[in-house]
Amino acid sequence: MAGNDWINSYLEAILDVGPGLDDAKSSLLLRERGRFSPTRYFVAEVISGFDETDLYRSWVRASATRSPQERNTRLENMCWRIWNLARQKKQLENEEAQRLNKRHLERERGRREATADMSEDLSEGEKGDPVSDVSAHGDSTRGRIPRISSVDAMEIWANSQKGKKLYIVLISIHGLIRGENMELGRDSDTGGQVKYVVELARALGSMPGVYRVDLLTRQVSAPDVDWSYGEPIEMLTPRNQDDLTDDGGESSGAYIIRIPFGPRDKYIPKEHLWPYISEFVDGALSHIIQMSKALGEQIGGGRAVWPVAIHGHYADAGDSAALLSGALNVPMLFTGHSLGRDKLEQLLKQGRLSRDEINTTYKIMRRIEAEELALDSSEIVITSTRQEIEQQWRLYNGFDPVLERKIRARIRRNVSCYGRFMPRMAIIPPGMEFHHIIPQDGDIESEPDGNLDHPAPQDPPIWSEIMRFFTNPRKPMILALARPDPKKNITTLVKAFGECRPLRELANLTLIMGNRDGIDEMSSTNASVLLSVLKLIDKYDLYGQVAYPKHHKQSDVPDIYRLAAKTKGVFINPAFIEPFGLTLIEAAAHGLPIVATKNGGPVDIHRVLDNGLLVDPHDQQSISDALLKLVSNKQLWAKCRQNGLKNIHLFSWPEHCKTYLSKIATCKPRYPQWLRNDDGGESSESESPSDSLRDIHDLSLNLKFSLDGEKSGASGNDNSMESEENTTDRKTKLENAVLSWSKGISKDTRRGGATEKSDQNTNAGKFPPLRRRKHLFVIAVDCDTTEGLLEAIKVIFESAEKERAEGSVGFILSTSFTISEIQSFLVSSGLSPNDFDAYICNSGSDLYYPSLTSEDRAFVVDLYYHSHIEYRWGGEGLRKTLVRWAASITDKKDEVEEQIVTPSEQLSTDYCYAFKLQKPGKAPPVKELRKLLRIQALRCHVIYCQNGTRMNVIPVLASRSQALRYLYVRWGFELSKMLVFVGECGETDYEGLLGGQHRSVILKGVGSSAISQLHNNRSYPLSDVIALDSPNIAEASDGSSGADIRSLIEKLGFLKD
């Protein structure tokens, strides 16, 4: 362009700081035969390199401008914008490289420390390089996926399952879920995951040995959605009536259970559901307990039938499943579907949004933390492909393929792992329903009532809609079915087709790119891809050879596959990366050979089906060669078709469910411990307060607590024989103590002295008092001083003075104090232990009740609570790592290192390791310590407390909020009848106390400035966790009196006359 030499200098600068081109290509792009070609540069680099559609529109406007001066100005502005984009991209690439290098160093250090702790010599099986270790997570490291390969084998397996009556809970919170006429594609939340979880529940409900399956989701009663999403229960009927079992009972089968939570009259996207997760967990917990009791009456001989597993789908359901798994003490499974860290990486690479903007839009850090918690809690993580493990899960702190293999090898040898745990990764591809699919056997030469030129009247309407595009509809059809997204790589497919003349002569191309009314109404990204496709069709003059219909229904998709098979066509998925590739399985089921990307899930599918060719999606020539080979070689086409049809049953729902159930069977059964006593009361809820025998037998509170020996030693769950012997010994002592108490004698097993007689009926009738209360007030106020706590307690007591005297309201003290500190506090404050019905201590790792039989033994410990929370507790291995970490946290002053964090043996208990913080302001954020421990495969819950002067490390699923759920499961006291009092700011477990079905009162002016600073170090804001606009939360102004607080309590629906 004459007079525009300045453009060359700008573009040279762009190339210097941008993604970079080799010298030959730079020269070619900048000058063609001595002239600069800005058009080619823009198309080849800006559109494909930056994917900025607004730049394209700017280019169009600039090209259309007649005035040379105005055109030059527009072009100059564009170049500056491009240069700025390139600079930003370069900066992001540098930051990403630094972050990856830091992560690599952290992980290597974590591996070394973990291996050093596991001090035994490693066997050859534990050694290995990082690349080979990755494959250890699949059940098969080479060859095809191990599955049942015949109908006879399936029948043998089915017969082995008879007599089992399993209860399985699936959770999928977001989107609109119903069993029939699913509105797939209605929005980004109602997509493939919705279809998968519904069909999984339906298929599991038809499997031998499975009695009931509940799919828990959100109840939506909004005016802008169908009424069916507001129905609390929906039964899922089997697709095939042959799947109906003979042993079905009153509650058997598969059901969608809709739990109300969040705004009652609004359908909100998944990013805005996070503050309401706790409310869902409480509602789901209530349903599961009620259903377990109902199933117990039907099939359990009167004993509750607990879920054999709780399976969370996606991050929000993973967070929920972890809390439910902890509350019920049952195994958890997790499927990510799509992962937050992977999405964050992709968004950062695009360079359009900063990390803060990404977090604000997608709540990505809250999502990632939920996925990390799911890794902490899960027995098994189910993935669709090996690629998901190798390239996505390994991004997480909580999963390291190399360390996982070492831990798994030690477990197989029955050697201690020193408290370390990694979830198992199980590759189970999604299933499909094939009963309705009839492969197309006919061809265009054998049509009695019509042909492809003139379709018969009974042919599906979508056929004619596609055929109208073609000049010669008899040619084989190359079918691509994908939304117009840059990741799907449709433009490369069109280029490959357009530039290969033999392929154009032999075949037609059909592009099913979603539904659209007008291009202007599409998103900018999708519109850009579609416009590129249309321009390529025009460039290669492909009119009459390419079909791109505007509309199709979900029910049309099978007919589209049938049409492609009828023409002896080929299905292609050319995506740059395909996480799984369900469309490849659908195509194979209809008799279509496939050409697919070699990146991701298609590799696993091709290994099993062997029905096509894999290609490099970046290699245009490779795509055209593969398509031409299948279309032109009829023998190869027939062989691929036959292989696909022969092996497709390996992806059926029965096969999927069989593998799924076999994985569940490998999980160690867990359920509430108190239900294991043959002579114990099976119900966690007594119908009558005077049910004294059930009170005694339900009671684990058999060991009196002595303040002289609070810590009897650190016990851990680390797979060692010594741990098992300790557990057996503890159970024996527990049984003896229960027997002694039932005879009216209470023994102090820790001190071994002083027995006391008690009136069995009187004590049993009183114990535990909380079961007789109408409401429970939980005082979880975190104050700077004990004086502040006492003042809050007095005001709360005053607000319910009448009900407290009557006994209709009970009180629970929930703190980070040890029981010794609580005893000292009560004595100094003039309070009695019996002023409270329960004491949640050590940040939720211990639960005590006031003793009713002894004056000098004030408290009784709930040992069953310990068995409830000890899952994945690291024990001594965790303690050693924490001590080593604490020694590394120092403050250098005048060349003297002062230790900031010091262990406190006096404040530690079996399930709480306490550390003192000398300088709270210089303590590392909780998230950093949690990250370090996860990298070393240690699972725990880290809490800063006591005005930032103490750190408690407790089991991963223990917390003050989880202790309240335990009281519901254990004693049947409903969460909706609890009222929790908290300060304006609290300890770092504060967030869990404000959500859920219980009511909450925030006491303004009560809190800690030091703790507030620690809260600022979290990865995400509290607003991503707490819905402060919830009707269950009220705020009391600073200095409120008892009467003021009572008024708030009455507004929340409590204490009304």
Side-chain angles (χ1 to χ4, degrees), residues 150-287:
S150 71
V151 176
D152 293 337
M154 174 61 82
E155 290 180 354
I156 293 172
W157 179 84
N159 290 332
S160 69
Q161 302 302 303
K162 289 184 177 179
K164 294 183 180 179
K165 294 185 183 295
L166 304 180
Y167 175 31
I168 299 173
V169 174
L170 309 178
I171 304 175
S172 183
I173 291 178
H174 62 262
L176 295 171
I177 297 181
R178 63 184 179 189
E180 305 297 335
N181 301 317
M182 287 177 273
E183 299 183 79
L184 302 180
R186 181 188 189 276
D187 53 60
S188 60
D189 292 351
T190 309
Q193 178 182 327
V194 169
K195 182 178 180 181
Y196 171 79
V197 295
V198 170
E199 296 304 327
L200 174 61
R202 195 193 309 271
L204 282 173
S206 303
M207 293 296 290
V210 177
Y211 187 81
R212 182 178 174 102
V213 179
D214 282 341
L215 170 56
L216 308 186
T217 188
R218 181 173 179 241
Q219 184 181 38
V220 183
S221 302
D224 57 336
V225 302
D226 191 76
W227 63 269
S228 59
Y229 301 113
E231 291 295 298
I233 300 177
E234 178 185 349
M235 185 174 184
L236 296 173
T237 56
R239 292 295 186 198
N240 185 4
Q241 295 303 312
D242 296 338
D243 292 337
L244 292 172
T245 57
D246 298 330
D247 57 350
E250 180 182 347
S251 301
S252 63
Y255 297 83
I256 296 174
I257 307 296
R258 299 185 177 92
I259 308 293
F261 71 99
R264 295 294 185 265
D265 58 347
K266 288 177 63 178
Y267 172 55
I268 56 179
K270 59 180 179 290
E271 289 82 10
H272 297 160
L273 284 177
W274 290 110
Y276 310 105
I277 293 294
S278 294
E279 188 180 353
F280 168 80
V281 170
D282 291 349
L285 183 62
S286 177
H287 167 78

Side-chain angles (χ1 to χ4, degrees), residues 14 67 288 293 528 531 632 664 684 801 887 908 997 1012 1041:
I14 294 170
S67 168
I288 293 172
K293 291 179 180 177
S528 174
L531 286 171
S632 60
I664 290 180
S684 65
E801 186 174 0
S908 297
Q997 289 188 346
S1012 179
S1041 64

Side-chain angles (χ1 to χ4, degrees), residues 713-764:
S715 63
N717 180 20
D718 55 5
N719 304 315
S720 66
M721 295 300 292
E722 180 181 355
S723 174
E724 293 178 3
E725 292 173 358
N726 292 338
T727 301
T728 303
D729 183 60
R730 184 177 62 189
K731 288 182 178 179
T732 302
K733 292 179 180 179
L734 182 59
E735 291 170 358
N736 293 335
V738 171
L739 181 61
S740 299
W741 197 348
S742 67
K743 294 178 180 179
I745 299 175
S746 178
K747 295 185 177 181
D748 185 345
T749 58
R750 296 203 180 202
R751 301 185 68 177
T755 63
E756 301 171 355
K757 291 185 178 181
S758 60
D759 186 321
Q760 172 185 341
N761 294 331
T762 301
N763 289 325

